[in-house]
Amino acid sequence: MLHVLPAGGLLLIASLVSLSLGSQTMSPPELSVSVLRMIGRAELDTQGKILYHLRLPRLFLGLFAGAGLALSGTAMQGITRNPLVSPFTLGLSSAASFGASLAIVFNLTPFPGTRMGVVATAFGCALLCALVVFLIAGKAGLSPVTLVLTGLALSYLFSALSAGVQFVSQEYQLSAVVSWTFGSLNGAQWSHTAIPGILLLTALPVLLFIAWPLNVMHGNDDEVAKSLGVHPRLIRMISGGTAVLLTAAIISFTGVIGFIGLVAPHISRMLVGVDHRHLLPHSAIVGALLLVVGDTLGRTILAPVQIPVGIIVSFLGVPLFLHLILRSGNGAFE
Amino acid sequence: MILEADKLCFSYKDRPVLHDVSLCCASGTVLGILGPNGSGKSTLVKCLQHILPPAEGRVVLDGHNLGHMTLKKRALAISYIPQSLIPAPGLSVYEAILLGRVPRFRWRPRSVDYQRVDEIIAELGITKLTNRFVASLSGGERQKVLIARSLCRDTSVLVFDEMTNNLDLKHQIEILDLIHRKTKEQELITVLVLHDLNLASLYCDSVLLLEDGRCRATGHPRDVLNQEQLQSTYGIRPLIISHQEHVYVLPRKQVVI
């Protein structure tokens, strides 16, 4: 537990700063009063309403999304033994983008014209893609290479399908699709936090339960895993399935926030090592930290313009990542 | 306790690799698997733990057919270490050894697991290494970590595939001394895949000579490592010397200029 304390402390500070900054800045005492009024169910003033309806749901969606994407990335890199893998390697981002395009351009969704409609179609397409990847890779033995290559192939397919939909779309629809793919927390509501939150709180114990098999699979090939009594296929199904569900749910709400799932596991690996008992919770915290800091900067540095968090996260994460690579010498994965 | 393999056959897709190979090894003895490159040595030891399930034949340990056991039960019966394995490069030495206890705990190690790892580390004299990363170890130290991982599993059978490759002579002898001593002390069954015929002669109680996936000869090293067998299996004519119950195989130039 001690491993996560420094990152956890930073996350707490970043969350409080995020809550206090915005069009109306709140001092720590004002923030405390508003939170106490919320807890006491007293009537909220303007600041309290901003906090409750805008900043808190946005913060929680950011926390859940960042932690979830990082957790999925850690699980995926563990089961594929590949440092270049992210939660989107199985084609999820392209499939979700295709789903969002279908909903935005053709209104092909169970809830036409609503944000939840886009969410549902993006989620459905991402899951469909993951299912196809697992079925095809499963036929070929579900090895790390077949999993990654099948994901890559499906990713290209869904990118082409998305491009096809965008090609026939109107200009205003195209703009909506493109801004969805930037990935952002704009317009976050409490209702958007429930599904990512529940899935995150389910995925973390599931992945921690298989932390030792993941340790075995991370540094050893399948034969060694079998010799230690670990079923590589079973662990790949559990871990991959959990990562897919979590990622699909998150990006359906936030759009594609790409960098966190790749880089947060590497940052944590450099800081706490490759033991998944420590790595999983730590990378979840680092992912949440990157997203919350990125989002806070994105909505304040050029206010009132809100820069999508997906863009800011890359600006923040790349220098940090490069610094850690240079410091650790041998890269992130060893 | 006896480990028996009975007429094992195995093919990689359409390419047969093992044909009716049988072996028998008792507690407290070391069996050496010898043969030229590509003769099926590694495949044979993988078949022993059913990492590659044999197409025909069976492996029986103390009367129990390994083919009828679960993956976990097999992991508790036989500890197999493949060739050129780096024991989890990103982990510390302690964690890499603790991986050997994975088949023995459910979702996290108990105090008995930590205790066993501590005992093995003290026994092998590698306490100084425990906090180092595996990636920073020398070849000989890595092999000791692998042996520690195997021993802390508390299996009755140890299988090592080419453990002494890439080690200098001092470390080869140190590693094989250690394996030999533990086999005798703890009445283990040890199967070693070896390339070095002299080391096989020194450390193995019996050897099995493979040629093209078939058992060419089996028995005491003194009986198997003779001019005729080595010429027909390896296609060479070495010089064979007997010294203090052991035979030594000295290579000779095949082409004299």
Side-chain angles (χ1 to χ4, degrees):
Chain A
M1 278 307 287
L2 289 174
H3 294 81
V4 298
L5 281 181
L10 278 177
L11 180 60
L12 186 67
I13 294 167
S15 303
L16 291 173
V17 171
S18 171
L19 287 178
S20 61
L21 291 182
S23 56
Q24 189 159 16
T25 305
M26 297 178 202
S27 65
E30 286 171 335
L31 201 62
S32 323
V33 169
S34 292
V35 171
L36 285 175
R37 287 177 75 85
M38 259 178 250
I39 293 168
R41 294 183 177 274
E43 199 181 326
L44 299 174
D45 55 5
T46 313
Q47 281 194 339
K49 282 178 182 161
I50 289 174
L51 202 61
Y52 183 75
H53 293 292
L54 297 175
R55 291 193 194 160
L56 273 173
R58 189 176 182 124
L59 172 70
F60 275 95
L61 185 59
L63 289 173
F64 295 153
L69 290 172
L71 208 56
S72 303
T74 312
M76 288 303 299
Q77 289 175 2
I79 57 169
T80 54
R81 293 190 288 272
N82 188 334
L84 300 175
V85 161
S86 78
F88 302 148
T89 305
L90 299 186
L92 297 188
S93 57
S94 311
S97 299
F98 172 62
S101 308
L102 282 183
I104 293 167
V105 177
F106 297 126
N107 246 341
L108 274 178
T109 161
F111 318 108
T114 63
R115 176 161 171 167
M116 284 314 275
V118 179
V119 169
T121 319
F123 184 67
C125 284
L127 281 195
L128 177 73
C129 170
L131 191 69
V132 173
V133 169
F134 272 100
L135 281 176
I136 295 174
K139 285 242 174 216
L142 209 63
S143 71
V145 175
T146 53
L147 206 56
V148 172
L149 288 180
T150 316
L152 204 61
L154 266 282
S155 180
Y156 277 106
L157 174 69
F158 277 104
S159 291
L161 287 170
S162 289
V165 173
Q166 288 164 25
F167 186 70
V168 297
S169 66
Q170 304 290 325
E171 206 165 301
Y172 72 94
Q173 293 167 328
L174 188 61
S175 142
V177 171
V178 169
S179 81
W180 187 88
T181 57
F182 283 158
S184 112
L185 301 177
N186 292 351
Q189 298 168 13
W190 282 114
S191 59
H192 300 160
T193 61
I195 294 173
I198 290 167
L199 282 175
L200 176 69
L201 294 177
T202 316
L204 186 61
V206 168
L207 292 173
L208 281 175
F209 186 77
I210 56 166
W212 276 99
L214 285 173
N215 282 347
V216 170
M217 288 177 65
H218 170 82
N220 299 293
D221 64 18
D222 286 3
E223 285 182 356
V224 179
K226 280 186 198 169
S227 82
L228 283 164
V230 172
H231 284 274
R233 279 178 74 112
L234 182 68
I235 297 300
R236 237 167 242 141
M237 290 298 287
I238 296 173
S239 187
T242 309
V244 159
L245 267 177
L246 192 55
T247 307
I250 290 166
I251 60 172
S252 306
F253 284 99
T254 64
V256 181
I257 302 173
F259 193 59
I260 288 180
L262 174 73
V263 82
H266 285 293
I267 292 174
S268 292
R269 217 173 269 123
M270 286 184 251
L271 294 174
V272 298
V274 299
D275 185 341
H276 284 77
R277 290 174 301 163
H278 313 306
L279 180 62
L280 287 164
H282 194 276
S283 74
I285 291 175
V286 169
L289 182 65
L290 275 174
L291 197 55
V292 168
V293 172
D295 185 51
T296 310
L297 286 175
R299 66 187 171 79
T300 51
I301 47 174
L302 287 180
V305 175
Q306 301 204 346
I307 307 169
V309 65
I311 297 171
I312 295 287
V313 158
S314 295
F315 280 129
L316 266 183
V318 170
L320 176 64
F321 189 39
L322 292 177
H323 166 71
L324 286 171
I325 289 175
L326 288 174
R327 207 188 66 174
S328 72
N330 61 350
F333 211 61
E334 288 297 307
Chain B
M1 191 170 280
I2 289 181
L3 174 73
E4 273 183 289
D6 186 27
K7 294 188 174 172
L8 295 183
C9 296
F10 183 82
S11 305
Y12 288 108
K13 293 194 174 157
D14 298 334
R15 187 168 64 88
V17 180
L18 293 179
H19 311 266
D20 291 335
V21 178
S22 300
L23 59 85
C24 182
C25 195
S27 292
T29 61
V30 179
L31 169 70
I33 311 283
L34 308 175
N37 290 335
S39 57
K41 303 185 292 297
S42 295
T43 305
L44 173 61
V45 289
K46 282 177 195 169
C47 284
L48 287 182
Q49 209 203 5
H50 279 245
I51 287 168
L52 296 176
E56 283 175 48
R58 60 193 189 130
V59 180
V60 179
L61 177 65
D62 212 23
H64 301 286
N65 188 338
L66 262 83
H68 297 159
M69 290 183 187
T70 60
L71 191 67
K72 197 160 191 166
K73 282 255 170 70
R74 286 200 293 269
L76 292 173
I78 295 183
S79 171
Y80 159 72
I81 301 290
Q83 58 178 302
S84 315
L85 176 67
I86 300 171
L91 292 177
S92 73
V93 166
Y94 193 91
E95 290 162 338
I97 296 172
L98 193 58
L99 281 187
R101 297 291 294 182
V102 165
R104 295 213 169 260
F105 57 77
R106 284 182 69 79
W107 72 281
R108 66 193 186 111
R110 301 151 301 162
S111 57
V112 63
D113 299 305
Y114 291 112
Q115 200 182 330
R116 191 73 188 110
V117 171
D118 290 338
E119 281 169 16
I120 297 287
I121 285 172
E123 219 174 304
L124 298 195
I126 50 173
T127 317
K128 278 184 188 165
L129 304 181
T130 46
N131 291 324
R132 281 177 57 188
F133 279 102
V134 172
S136 71
L137 300 181
S138 69
E141 289 168 337
R142 284 179 188 179
Q143 301 303 62
K144 278 189 188 169
V145 171
L146 286 174
I147 293 173
R149 188 198 275 185
S150 280
L151 290 175
C152 81
R153 259 157 94 170
D154 290 328
T155 57
S156 46
V157 182
L158 304 178
V159 179
F160 296 112
D161 192 352
E162 301 191 14
M163 273 296 271
T164 51
N165 278 10
N166 307 320
L167 294 185
D168 62 40
L169 199 55
K170 175 183 177 270
H171 284 100
Q172 288 181 21
I173 290 171
E174 198 177 302
I175 294 296
L176 289 173
D177 270 342
L178 178 62
I179 293 172
H180 190 257
R181 178 167 60 85
K182 298 306 289 183
T183 306
K184 300 297 171 188
E185 278 175 6
Q186 298 183 10
E187 290 282 298
L188 302 170
I189 298 169
T190 299
V191 180
L192 297 176
V193 173
L194 284 170
H195 264 305
D196 191 316
L197 304 178
N198 293 319
L199 292 176
S201 165
L202 271 177
Y203 289 100
C204 298
D205 299 289
S206 60
V207 293
L208 186 150
L209 187 61
L210 279 177
E211 184 189 2
D212 293 333
R214 290 186 170 79
C215 177
R216 172 89 201 175
T218 182
H220 193 277
R222 204 174 38 237
D223 303 325
V224 174
L225 300 177
N226 57 45
Q227 194 70 254
E228 183 197 347
Q229 297 288 10
L230 295 180
Q231 187 171 7
S232 77
T233 312
Y234 289 91
I236 54 164
R237 284 185 59 80
L239 188 64
I240 295 178
I241 299 170
S242 282
H243 177 66
Q244 291 182 343
E245 296 181 17
H246 297 291
V247 289
Y248 293 90
V249 181
L250 299 179
R252 284 195 289 202
K253 277 185 179 172
Q254 301 296 298
V255 179
V256 180
I257 300 167

